[in-house]
Amino acid sequence: MHPIKDLKQETFPAGNHSAWMESAAHDWRDATPLGNGTLGALHFGGLAHDRILFNHERFYGGAVTPPLPDVSDLLPEVRRLLDEGEFTKANDLYRQRWEEWGYEADSAHYLPGPVLNWRQQIPGAFHGYSRWLDFTTGVGGLDWRLDSKVFRRVLFTSMADGCCVFQPCENGSPSDEALLWFSVQDPSDSLDSHDVPLPVNIHQHTTIGPDWMASFFDGPEQASCAVVAHWGGLAGTQIDGRTVRLPLQPDCQILISMIVSPTREGVRQEVERLGRLASDKHLRSKHEKIHGERYGRCVLDLDVEHADLSNDELLMKAYRGDVPDALLARLANFGRYLLIASATSGTLPPNLQGIWNGNHQPPWWCVFFFNENVQQALWPALPGGLPECVTGLFDLLEERVEDFRMNAKKMFGCRGILPPLYMSPECGLKKNPQAHVQYWTGSGAWLAQIYQDYWLHTGDRDFLEKRAIPFFREVAAFYEDFLVEGVDGLLHNYPANSPENNPLGHVDRHGDPARVCVDATMDISLVREVFGNLIKAVRLVEGEASEDIPLWEAILARLPQYRINEDGAIAEWIDARQRDNYHHRHLSHIYALFPGLEITPESTELFDACRIAVEKRLVVGLADQSGWSLAHMAHIYSRLGKPGRALQSLQLLCRSVVGANLFTAHNDLRDMGITMDYRKGPRPLVQTEANNGVTSAVYEMLALSTGDTLRLLPALPWSWRRGRLRGMRLRGGGVLKIEWDRTAGWWRAEFSGPGRRVYLGNNKGKSLELKNSTGETGSHVFQGTFCESGVVLPSGTTFDLGM
């Protein structure tokens, strides 16, 4: 056997953990993102005129929230219509009642904050420009050269001190002074749903002190904010009502913070706080210590070519069709960086754009969507050792429990909770009249999966008892009332929707999809999952004494079984009256395979049915995909044991929806045929959950854990010749380190925690079960060599990885 090397002493490209761009950003969508979970900053990087756009996670406005009408009396009629096959009539019933009663509501939308402007003279033509971001430290900046002198500006959003720190003269300055002022974000970035420009009526008032400046912004969306800048001991000179001239020194730093719904007293206190911090020369080291510790808990390294290239060069290679693995490695680590920068303990979860936005009318209001987007944004958090990035979601959900109870009661007359398909932070009521939103009941159960995953990864018994089980019980109470007995004696889930699809041929009189349905396969998977997890949790905490367990077990026993259609695929609707519609990007009906854990390669018939369902879905073609759906597909192909397809999904994502700063978009606006053509104005629709989805997909391609199993290298692409993943957290407890070098011919995995069944590879559903060395809690080591067809174990056993 080839000797196993210790990769601790070996180096991997620094380009895995940093990004750099060759030009300044002309649009916020290409700016450098920084954040501490609460305060976001987008750095444009112009030399003569630099801009920093600020965001605050709580800066929302424009909500319309009338009382939710009680339409629960319609439930029997909707069910009667569905029983009789009148899907189109049932589809519109709730919407029509809302319209008759004049119910019009709207969620708040996420607003851009103000812009800090920095103008200074650049005496000559620059050379060697680089705008950069270090994922490991959470520090960004730009470098450029005048003649032989290199200049640098540095920027970070401090996790230690809760402010943005701008250090414009780290290596000196080409000029002696600069102008500083705040302004409204670009008013042209304000289009309605029909691409009609909307006025941005924001009033600005600025107060300037001897070493500080505060600007108040009052907008039309019942939202106001203030930004405060403090420049310490620099002797600023007021130029006009909002502009200051600052003398520049090599070690100067400007501190900026943003306040939502400010008061004069609150701003005064913030000026004093920043003044105390302004002379602190350790701001950067304090921030880097916190950010670096979080980033370093789980480290992905791939030994790839071209890691020294800029984002621009890597993206051009990808656009031409040859996607460098260096771009994927960088993108996977960037997704981890974004998650750390956009969420932590005490903050909201990431919205559709993380915490970054420069659009006064953001797509889909940039809120929290619970039918994929929030989930995908958080997928890499727990295996990546970042539980604090998830707790904000639990806080948000538990703050809005009364709203969710109101939804359950007034929509369907049920107990328990019914979270809406999407919401903004101030309200959890259902507001959208579309059928696929009104009839979607799966949010609570899918969100319960994140509670379950938190428990499995952390082993936090207190969390399980005080937060997870109460949430599970609320979700279960809804289903106890909502599930209805059919003539077959089974319990059925309807009205429903399989996100965001409709059965084949189900259209209304206008030719639009009629999306209401009966027994969506995903719903049955969710019900089965949440009751199964609830039973296990209550048994663990309360023992067998709970009188509710027999009821829950009886519900599980009466759920309909999954249906396999005439093509051999798992059907999207268990009710056979509804024909599969393969022309859609969502693959919700294979939830039990992914993101659920019910169907595994050992579930032979159902596993094969999921594989066929995915193959049938290929008829939709690339022209109906999106950034998040390609990331989702990579996970599915990894679970199916198809590393080539998983890698291809990520490569297509890189070619179509990745911007110069590595932000992902909902779709490609260049009409190249890889994604759907959805437009809201002429600019890309930034959605960062696909960034996080790439990170999660790469993790899953290297290792996948359940509570009692571990799969090693289930979807390792052939081109990833050498690499390692250190610090991956496992469901059921423990930490994994896996490393490999196909050129040298070896692989090695070591994990701590309880013993478990360990499998190697997943070649289209076939895995090799490895013998666990102890079966007890401790350190467990597995290793072997690579051969031409796969891997060889020390025993001489060979296995084809299917790469």
Side-chain angles (χ1 to χ4, degrees):
M1 179 179 176
H2 194 283
I4 302 297
K5 294 183 179 181
D6 184 357
L7 289 187
K8 290 180 180 178
Q9 303 303 317
E10 297 200 27
T11 59
F12 285 86
N16 279 338
H17 302 283
S18 61
W20 66 281
M21 293 139 279
E22 298 182 60
S23 64
H26 70 278
D27 185 274
W28 68 267
R29 296 161 182 84
D30 292 323
T32 305
L34 301 125
N36 62 10
T38 297
L39 180 65
L42 289 161
H43 186 204
F44 287 68
L47 296 185
H49 183 188
D50 204 350
R51 290 174 289 163
I52 305 168
L53 168 61
F54 291 100
N55 293 112
H56 191 289
E57 54 144 359
R58 292 277 179 179
F59 194 36
Y60 284 81
V64 179
T65 309
L68 182 67
D70 189 338
V71 292
S72 59
D73 63 296
L74 292 177
L75 180 59
E77 176 64 8
V78 169
R79 283 179 169 161
R80 182 190 67 79
L81 290 170
L82 291 172
D83 289 340
E84 296 174 359
E86 298 284 355
F87 286 82
T88 300
K89 291 182 180 178
N91 190 75
D92 295 332
L93 210 57
Y94 271 58
R95 177 187 58 78
Q96 290 169 352
R97 175 69 66 83
W98 275 11
E99 290 177 353
E100 289 170 5
W101 288 1
Y103 180 66
E104 294 184 4
D106 200 2
S107 295
H109 52 278
Y110 191 49
L111 300 170
V115 175
L116 180 137
N117 297 268
W118 176 267
R119 183 177 289 280
Q120 70 180 111
Q121 184 179 0
I122 305 298
F126 69 90
H127 299 277
Y129 178 94
S130 171
R131 179 164 54 97
W132 51 269
L133 174 63
D134 186 338
F135 307 158
T136 68
T137 63
V139 175
L142 57 93
D143 298 340
W144 79 98
R145 195 172 68 249
L146 286 176
D147 298 324
S148 60
K149 176 67 174 176
V150 176
F151 297 98
R152 167 169 287 190
R153 292 180 194 155
V154 172
L155 186 73
F156 57 94
T157 305
S158 175
M159 292 191 167
D161 295 300
C163 61
C164 179
V165 181
F166 182 40
Q167 298 171 333
C169 309
E170 183 169 284
N171 294 350
S173 173
S175 55
D176 297 330
E177 61 184 26
L179 299 180
L180 177 72
W181 72 96
F182 288 115
S183 64
V184 175
Q185 159 60 3
D186 183 4
S188 70
D189 214 333
S190 178
L191 300 175
D192 69 9
S193 59
H194 302 288
D195 291 349
V196 176
L198 296 177
V200 176
N201 299 314
I202 297 176
H203 174 71
Q204 177 181 354
H205 172 71
T206 300
T207 302
I208 298 175
D211 51 7
W212 60 271
M213 175 168 60
S215 286
F216 294 80
F217 295 84
D218 296 310
E221 302 290 356
Q222 305 91 46
S224 62
C225 71
V227 277
V228 178
H230 204 295
W231 46 87
L234 297 179
T237 303
Q238 183 170 343
I239 301 301
D240 56 32
R242 64 170 188 163
T243 308
V244 172
R245 177 183 290 115
L246 294 179
L248 300 181
Q249 300 173 0
D251 60 349
C252 66
Q253 55 187 12
I254 300 164
L255 279 56
I256 310 102
S257 65
M258 180 175 169
I259 304 170
V260 174
S261 301
T263 64
R264 291 287 175 180
E265 177 60 19
V267 170
R268 185 192 65 78
Q269 293 178 6
E270 186 65 5
V271 169
E272 292 180 355
R273 186 182 79 90
L274 295 185
R276 292 190 295 270
L277 291 171
S279 60
D280 188 341
K281 302 304 179 186
H282 304 288
L283 296 177
R284 180 170 172 179
S285 61
K286 288 191 294 180
H287 162 73
E288 288 184 352
K289 181 179 180 181
I290 297 172
H291 180 98
E293 186 277 327
R294 292 177 185 172
Y295 186 85
R297 293 177 196 167
C298 183
V299 180
L300 168 71
D301 283 303
L302 294 180
D303 187 10
V304 290
E305 296 180 357
H306 309 305
D308 59 332
L309 296 183
S310 67
N311 294 357
D312 313 80
E313 293 170 298
L314 291 175
L315 288 167
M316 184 53 67
K317 285 181 175 290
Y319 191 68
R320 291 169 178 160
D322 182 18
V323 180
D325 285 328
L327 178 56
L328 273 175
R330 186 175 298 178
L331 197 60
N333 286 318
F334 179 66
R336 176 176 180 79
Y337 162 81
L338 285 184
L339 184 56
I340 294 169
S342 61
T344 190
S345 299
T347 72
L348 292 168
N351 61 39
L352 284 177
Q353 296 173 183
I355 55 170
W356 300 278
N357 176 43
N359 192 334
H360 296 277
Q361 301 287 326
W364 301 284
W365 291 158
C366 200
V367 293
F368 307 105
F369 275 74
F370 298 142
N371 67 340
E372 171 81 22
N373 309 86
V374 167
Q375 288 90 335
Q376 185 167 144
L378 295 177
W379 282 340
L382 294 166
L386 297 171
E388 64 267 54
C389 293
V390 181
T391 55
L393 172 65
F394 305 144
D395 295 340
L396 174 65
L397 297 175
E398 290 158 22
E399 287 171 5
R400 295 297 160 206
V401 161
E402 289 304 320
D403 288 344
F404 302 160
R405 288 174 178 153
M406 189 71 69
N407 291 335
K409 180 181 179 180
K410 291 196 171 183
M411 293 295 290
F412 301 116
C414 298
R415 296 172 300 127
I417 61 172
L418 178 60
L421 187 147
Y422 68 87
M423 61 177 280
S424 46
E426 84 297 335
C427 181
L429 296 177
K430 280 184 175 277
K431 293 185 173 184
N432 189 301
Q434 296 179 90
H436 73 281
V437 181
Q438 288 184 319
Y439 294 134
W440 162 249
T441 59
S443 292
W446 197 350
L447 291 166
Q449 186 203 49
I450 305 177
Y451 279 83
Q452 173 73 3
D453 243 12
Y454 188 95
W455 151 245
L456 289 176
H457 280 93
T458 65
D460 186 338
R461 180 75 172 257
D462 193 58
F463 171 85
L464 178 68
E465 183 174 351
K466 296 179 179 178
R467 301 192 77 172
I469 289 177
F471 191 84
F472 292 165
R473 282 183 175 274
E474 290 277 3
V475 175
F478 171 76
Y479 285 118
E480 289 170 20
D481 291 355
F482 185 72
L483 295 173
V484 59
E485 183 176 2
V487 295
D488 55 5
L490 299 178
L491 296 177
H492 298 275
N493 189 92
Y494 70 108
N497 169 253
S498 187
E500 297 165 350
N501 203 2
N502 60 288
L504 190 66
H506 285 213
V507 295
D508 63 21
R509 64 183 184 277
H510 304 295
D512 297 322
R515 292 194 170 104
V516 68
C517 70
V518 176
D519 282 346
T521 297
M522 181 185 190
D523 281 326
I524 301 304
S525 298
L526 288 168
V527 174
R528 186 171 284 126
E529 180 182 76
V530 74
F531 277 103
N533 289 337
L534 176 57
I535 290 168
K536 291 177 185 177
V538 170
R539 278 197 172 123
L540 180 64
V541 172
E542 302 177 17
E544 294 288 348
S546 173
E547 61 184 19
D548 295 314
I549 290 179
L551 168 64
W552 298 332
E553 290 179 328
I555 288 173
L556 286 176
R558 296 175 65 195
L559 291 176
Q561 297 300 306
Y562 298 129
R563 181 170 66 89
I564 297 177
N565 68 17
E566 62 276 9
D567 296 319
I570 190 169
E572 186 159 359
W573 296 276
I574 291 173
D575 186 324
R577 294 176 301 163
Q578 301 158 107
R579 297 164 56 202
D580 277 89
N581 179 9
Y582 295 135
H583 294 266
H584 203 274
R585 64 193 173 280
H586 276 267
L587 279 157
S588 307
H589 54 308
I590 60 171
Y591 177 95
L593 173 76
F594 176 82
L597 297 167
E598 178 186 351
I599 297 176
T600 69
E602 289 69 48
S603 313
T604 308
E605 184 180 18
L606 288 174
F607 186 85
D608 287 342
C610 288
R611 175 185 56 79
I612 294 171
V614 173
E615 291 174 355
K616 290 295 180 182
R617 213 55 150 212
L618 294 178
V619 301
V620 74
L622 296 176
D624 197 43
Q625 298 297 337
S626 66
W628 66 259
S629 74
L630 290 168
H632 193 111
M633 286 299 302
H635 288 83
I636 290 172
Y637 282 128
S638 179
R639 296 270 177 108
L640 289 173
K642 295 187 174 185
R645 286 285 182 87
L647 180 61
Q648 183 186 47
S649 297
L650 297 179
Q651 290 173 335
L652 289 169
L653 184 153
C654 288
R655 294 185 62 194
S656 57
V657 298
V658 178
N661 63 352
L662 302 185
F663 269 168
T664 51
H666 178 268
N667 57 278
D668 187 359
L669 295 186
R670 296 169 295 191
D671 289 333
M672 303 305 290
I674 293 182
T675 64
M676 62 189 299
D677 182 18
Y678 182 88
R679 295 175 180 272
K680 188 179 185 296
R683 298 162 181 168
L685 311 178
V686 170
Q687 278 190 214
T688 56
E689 76 274 0
N691 284 113
N692 312 123
V694 170
T695 310
S696 174
V698 171
Y699 287 172
E700 283 221 0
M701 291 163 74
L702 299 178
L704 171 65
S705 67
T706 67
D708 55 5
T709 67
L710 174 62
R711 297 185 185 275
L712 302 172
L713 305 179
L716 178 66
W718 182 256
S719 63
W720 295 1
R721 306 294 295 177
R722 186 172 77 99
R724 65 184 174 192
L725 180 63
R726 297 175 294 152
M728 182 179 185
R729 272 54 174 182
L730 305 178
R731 293 181 176 94
V735 181
L736 170 69
K737 174 184 177 181
I738 187 166
E739 50 194 358
W740 70 95
D741 188 333
R742 190 177 290 115
T743 302
W746 60 268
W747 63 272
R748 184 178 189 273
E750 179 178 357
F751 69 92
S752 61
R756 59 182 72 215
R757 296 179 70 180
V758 181
Y759 298 88
L760 179 65
N762 177 12
N763 185 357
K764 300 175 183 177
K766 297 179 180 179
S767 303
L768 178 66
E769 185 169 1
L770 307 176
K771 182 180 179 181
N772 195 320
S773 55
T774 65
E776 300 177 353
T777 299
S779 179
H780 314 278
V781 178
F782 299 90
Q783 59 189 30
T785 60
F786 287 101
C787 62
E788 184 174 345
S789 61
V791 295
V792 183
L793 301 182
S795 63
T797 303
T798 62
F799 182 74
D800 185 356
L801 289 177
M803 295 181 288

